[in-house]
Amino acid sequence: MNGLSISELCGLFCCPPCPSRIAAKLAFLPPEPTYTLVPDLESTSPLHLSERAEFQYSQRELDGTEVFLTHSSRGNRVGCMYIRCAPSARYTVLFSHGNAVDLGQMSSFYIGLGTRINCNITGKPSEKNLYADIDAAWHALRSRYGISPENIILYGQSIGTVPTVDLASRYECAAVVLHSPLTSGMRVAFPDTKKTYCFDAFPNIEKVSKITSPVLIIHGTEDEVIDFSHGLALFERCPKAVEPLWVEGAGHNDIELYSQYLERLRRFISQEVAAQ
């Protein structure tokens, strides 16, 4: 029955796991910060990185990176990073990264990605207040930088696909990229789960059908953290999905090392999205 035994179903309904317990099982593991922000920062400021960020570019690229604080509807201060990778870029990518890394560690990747796909990049932390934080970053992009929704590409990786799908289900944008996505918290924590319960956390599978922008789904066939079946299920449920990228042999954290990753992203943005 729905992939769970009778005893397991009884346990779920008699003592269901609260969303926070499911989230905890997905392991929010933020590292010790590798970047610093001025505590009361209201305007943009240069990014200051520690050695642990392992920054791979020169001071010139670092000088083109801005960090700022914005405030969410829940009263949280949200640190954001804006990277001007391409002066003539038509699109800006709002990137929600995965687990166990922070903006400092992601900065080199953002610069490399933006340069190669000719897009500017905005990064935001991946934390427990996922939905409110991405809303704050979205509105900051629009108000602070004057970027229109039709020029914003939402990109979520791993747990970062949760706020990305939620935002894309509520706002129209240029496009959406779901990189190693999960269908829901229950389905990751309890792989035999076949339906969405009322106490499920992060139910991407129930929201993805509401997205009205083109959606590119990327998943490694040997993903050891979020099974490949999650990507397949979301692709089948999403009416706006374009040709997906299934990376044969790739795991959860190495898709970027395969040449087809950048090739598919470039084609998606320069041809499929631009042709709208």
Side-chain angles (χ1 to χ4, degrees), residues 222-244:
E222 301 300 323
D223 194 319
E224 70 287 359
V225 177
I226 300 175
D227 192 77
F228 175 50
S229 60
H230 288 252
L232 283 170
L234 288 167
F235 174 71
E236 292 170 357
R237 188 72 71 93
C238 182
K240 297 296 289 185
V242 300
E243 178 188 349

Side-chain angles (χ1 to χ4, degrees), residues 10-79:
C10 290
L12 284 175
F13 283 106
C14 293
C15 186
C18 65
S20 61
R21 285 185 61 195
I22 298 172
K25 200 170 180 69
L26 297 182
F28 285 95
L29 299 170
E32 184 179 342
T34 63
Y35 65 99
T36 57
L37 290 173
V38 179
D40 296 319
L41 183 66
E42 294 295 338
S43 59
T44 57
S45 171
L47 180 66
H48 299 282
L49 299 174
S50 71
E51 290 185 2
R52 290 182 300 102
E54 299 181 351
F55 190 67
Q56 300 172 12
Y57 292 88
S58 69
Q59 187 63 42
R60 183 173 65 87
E61 284 82 9
L62 193 59
D63 290 342
T65 300
E66 301 172 352
V67 290
F68 61 91
L69 289 175
T70 187
H71 294 82
S72 76
S73 60
R74 301 188 65 174
N76 298 315
R77 294 190 305 174
V78 183

Side-chain angles (χ1 to χ4, degrees), residues 5 21 23 27 32-33 37 40 59 61 92 96 100 123 127 133 153 164 169 183 189 195 198 212 224 229 235:
S5 68
R21 285 185 61 195
E32 184 179 342
L37 290 173
D40 296 319
Q59 187 63 42
E61 284 82 9
T92 295
S96 294
E127 299 175 341
D133 287 357
I153 296 174
T164 294
S169 71
T183 51
K195 66 174 291 185
C198 60
T212 58
E224 70 287 359
S229 60
F235 174 71

Side-chain angles (χ1 to χ4, degrees), residues 154-156 175-179 181 213-218 235 238 240-245 261 264-269 272-273:
L154 302 180
Y155 191 124
V176 181
V177 180
L178 302 179
H179 179 150
S213 308
V215 180
L216 170 62
I217 299 176
I218 301 171
F235 174 71
C238 182
K240 297 296 289 185
V242 300
E243 178 188 349
L245 175 60
Y261 167 72
R264 182 68 186 97
L265 269 181
R266 286 196 189 105
R267 180 159 55 90
F268 178 56
I269 294 170
E272 296 162 73
V273 178

